[in-house]
Every structure is written in C-alpha cells, then in structure tokens.
Amino acid sequence: MICLFNYEKIIYVFLQKSYTINCKFAKYFQIVEHLLAGEFMDISNITILQNIIDKSKKIVFFGGAGVSTESGLPDFRSVDGLYNQEWKYPPETIISHSFYYKDTKEFYRFYRAKLLPVGIEPNPAHYKLAELEKAGKLLAVVTQNIDGLHQKAGSKNVFELHGSTLRNYCLDCHAFYDETIILESENAPDTLPHCPKCGGLIKPDVVLYEEGLDQDVISGAVNAISQADTLIIGGTSLTVYPAAGLINYFHGDKLVLLNKSVTPQDNMADLVIHEPIGQVLSQIKVN
C-alpha cells in the first residue's frame, strides 16, 4: 500500500517544528535534503497519474518541443532554446514563408543545423506513448513537433500539426523525398536541394511562420481530442496558436499537464506535474 502525501507540506512542518537535531532524526533530515534538491519524484503524483491512466480508455496526448528535448533536440523558448541563440536573423524570421523565398540559402543553413533530427532517437516518453497506443488505451498523439520521433518509437496514429522534417517535396513536380536530400544538398554547388527528376527547388513539408495549418490534420486532431476521456498535455508551454487552442475541444473527464514550467492551463488541470516528461512517463505501467 502506497501512502499518498504532500512532500512540501511534510518538509515545511518538519523543518518548522524540529528545532533540535539528534542522531535519531539524522537520517530523516538526509531524506529531506534529497527532497529539497528535487532528487525524488513525488510518489503521490505518479500514483495519481497511474490511476488516471488505468481508468482511461480513450487517452489523447497533446505534445510540444519539451517531449523531444530529452532526446537532445533544442526547444524554442527556454533559456537554451533556439529563440535565445545568436544567429544573423531571429529564428522565427528564418523559418518563415517569406524568408524561405527571400534567402533560401540562409534558411537551409539554419534548417540543416538546428531542425533536422540527425542521430536523434526517441526517449522514454515517446516509447511509453507508443506502448499505450498498442495496448488500446491511447487514441492518438497530437504533436507540434516536426522530428518524427513518435513514429520512430512505434506510434501509428499521429497528427503532426506543423508537418515533418522527414517529408520534403519539389515545388515544381511535387515529388516527395526524405530528409537525406536536404542533408546532402549542403555539398551541392549552390547548397540548395533540387529535385532529381525535374531540377525544381525542394521545400520541407513543415508549416513555416506565415503559413496555415493543414486542415485535414486539424480536423483529425480535433476529432481525436473531442473523443478523449483523458487528455494528457506534455512538453508544451501552450503559447503557440492556433495549435494550443485545440485543447479547448476536450470535454472529457481528466486533464493532465506534464511540463517543467508553469502553463496558462495549470489551474484547469486535474493533475499537474512539473518534471521532465520522460522521467514521469517512464514510471507508468501499461496494464
């Protein structure tokens, strides 16, 4: 039997009431030091999450960049994120529709260096979500990421709101290619990817700034979220619209938020865990 309790309250009372320390209580203070250092996950939160997942039959996961940071990919808005790195132009300018056509070489220099998931593997969060889907408990993954790691981990029903770096197409003949053609174009005379069939310029199948989301993908995501009995939101600040607005279609039973930082929806959730998502989900058992 697992006793549910709030570590923060226990620590507060313990430190306030214990004015004298002797050897008898030394080991307890060592435990408190570890808890204050954040070295232990709150067992009560994991137990609650496990209980929610066990009782759910139609889970949908809505995720963002924080899901893939544990695989080694940078996010956008954290201290070490892409938006806080020094480039000739701001990243949000570089990965825009107009900039792609204005300075295609600079676009691809940034794109190859920062957005292609070369040598990146799925982490425990990706694998756990795939396991939940295989067990028939998870309906779909709705992701803002463009790295294809959910599919690489085994997820089948994935709605990629912002497209995928693993798909690229010719602007002239519309032939599709994988990411290899983008990587190899760095050695081309003009450092640009061209279609082997017609010579046309190739564009990544990702949604750039100033571009609209694919309506078929949006429709599928909305349908999945509206059917869910539990919506788990992970690794996203919920500040990127219109994608973040999709969670408003959820009318199910339990809303769970797994994110290292506070989000605008924290006060609406049934459970909030501010820990790395891979660390959290790796402790969940699929029953």
Side-chain angles (χ1 to χ4, degrees):
M1 178 178 179
I2 297 177
C3 179
L4 301 183
F5 52 84
N6 188 308
Y7 280 140
E8 292 180 357
K9 290 180 180 177
I10 287 180
I11 292 170
Y12 176 79
V13 173
F14 192 70
L15 293 177
Q16 291 294 315
K17 300 296 183 182
S18 299
Y19 297 109
T20 29
I21 305 173
N22 55 41
C23 293
K24 181 179 178 180
F25 296 110
K27 65 177 180 180
Y28 297 111
F29 274 91
Q30 289 176 359
I31 292 173
V32 169
E33 288 176 359
H34 286 297
L35 290 171
L36 288 172
E39 295 176 14
F40 296 141
M41 180 76 69
D42 191 331
I43 297 173
S44 62
N45 282 339
I46 295 299
T47 304
I48 294 168
L49 178 58
Q50 181 71 66
N51 186 53
I52 290 174
I53 290 175
D54 287 346
K55 292 181 178 179
S56 301
K57 296 181 179 179
K58 295 184 291 183
I59 300 169
V60 168
F61 178 81
F62 181 94
V67 179
S68 294
T69 53
E70 290 175 66
S71 290
L73 284 173
D75 63 8
F76 288 83
R77 290 171 175 77
S78 70
V79 175
D80 298 319
L82 293 179
Y83 288 175
N84 290 308
Q85 296 179 11
E86 292 296 329
W87 284 81
K88 186 177 179 180
Y89 303 96
E92 59 267 42
T93 297
I94 299 175
I95 49 179
S96 68
H97 179 87
S98 56
F99 193 89
Y100 171 82
Y101 289 98
K102 177 183 177 181
D103 194 342
T104 312
K105 288 185 178 181
E106 182 65 15
F107 171 90
Y108 272 116
R109 190 175 76 87
F110 177 87
Y111 185 84
R112 281 190 291 259
K114 293 298 180 181
L115 296 183
L116 287 180
V118 179
I120 301 296
E121 296 297 326
N123 63 59
H126 297 106
Y127 286 116
K128 186 63 64 176
L129 292 168
E131 187 180 354
L132 285 167
E133 182 184 30
K134 188 175 181 180
K137 295 185 70 66
L138 186 138
L139 289 178
V141 169
V142 180
T143 180
Q144 300 173 80
N145 296 338
I146 57 176
D147 50 46
L149 291 179
H150 284 293
Q151 292 92 327
K152 196 171 185 178
S155 291
K156 304 298 182 184
N157 195 26
V158 181
F159 295 100
E160 297 173 309
L161 299 176
H162 298 146
S164 173
T165 59
L166 307 185
R167 296 188 305 269
N168 306 274
Y169 65 95
C170 174
L171 290 171
D172 292 338
C173 72
H174 303 291
F176 272 82
Y177 301 94
D178 64 20
E179 72 280 12
T180 304
I181 199 164
I182 305 296
L183 289 169
E184 293 178 347
S185 67
E186 186 173 14
N187 299 318
D190 60 359
T191 69
L192 296 177
H194 292 280
C195 177
K197 296 181 179 180
C198 73
L201 184 64
I202 290 176
K203 184 176 182 291
D205 190 20
V206 299
V207 179
L208 305 177
Y209 283 100
E210 304 167 355
E211 296 180 344
L213 304 185
D214 184 285
Q215 289 306 304
D216 289 337
V217 175
I218 290 292
S219 179
V222 167
N223 184 53
I225 291 171
S226 63
Q227 291 183 54
D229 57 9
T230 293
L231 179 62
I232 300 176
I233 300 173
T236 173
S237 59
L238 292 176
T239 57
V240 178
Y241 284 83
L246 296 183
I247 66 172
N248 294 326
Y249 289 94
F250 174 66
H251 302 291
D253 186 34
K254 297 295 183 183
L255 175 62
V256 177
L257 273 167
L258 311 176
N259 196 53
K260 289 198 291 186
S261 60
V262 175
T263 79
Q265 297 296 323
D266 278 17
N267 62 334
M268 303 296 293
D270 297 283
L271 176 64
V272 177
I273 302 179
H274 290 148
E275 300 285 351
I277 187 170
Q279 182 180 335
V280 174
L281 292 182
S282 64
Q283 299 181 67
I284 296 300
K285 296 180 180 179
V286 179
N287 301 315

